[in-house]
Amino acid sequence: EPDVTIVSGLKDMVVFEGDDVTFQCQVSHENARDIEWKLQDVALQNNEMNEISVEKGKIHTLTLRKVTEQDIGAVTFRVGPHTSTA
């Protein structure tokens, strides 16, 4: 299986409380496994507050809904040994 790398990393975002914010990370291969999103070192699951999706097989997206002050911190995307943080 080829080593999946990060082609385009996360970008820092500034949003207002109550707004949604979306982070995107592009990887080198489709159907990448061993993917993880974290906020402040806490692993995120796909639920009503965190929407995790994949577009075109390579663009991994995390949308945080109605962010609050408690959501301030580092967002990390990891695929295998590679990470991107914003």
Side-chain angles (χ1 to χ4, degrees):
E1 200 168 291
D3 186 28
V4 177
T5 60
I6 295 173
V7 176
S8 175
L10 300 177
K11 293 179 176 38
D12 292 340
M13 304 292 278
V14 176
V15 291
F16 292 103
E17 195 167 23
D19 285 354
D20 296 349
V21 60
T22 299
F23 295 91
Q24 284 191 332
C25 208
Q26 184 175 347
V27 297
S28 57
H29 295 78
E30 290 186 15
N31 305 320
R33 298 197 180 136
D34 197 19
I35 301 281
E36 184 176 50
W37 285 98
K38 287 185 175 181
L39 174 61
Q40 303 166 359
D41 258 356
V42 176
L44 299 176
Q45 304 299 321
N46 197 16
N47 58 37
E48 66 277 353
M49 297 307 291
N50 313 315
E51 184 184 320
I52 297 170
S53 62
V54 181
E55 298 170 29
K56 299 181 186 134
K58 296 182 183 179
I59 300 170
H60 293 261
T61 303
L62 166 68
T63 300
L64 302 177
R65 304 259 179 235
K66 296 181 176 64
V67 295
T68 66
E69 214 173 273
Q70 284 74 41
D71 295 321
I72 292 172
V75 171
T76 304
F77 173 84
R78 181 185 62 77
V79 56
H82 307 286
T83 59
S84 178
T85 303

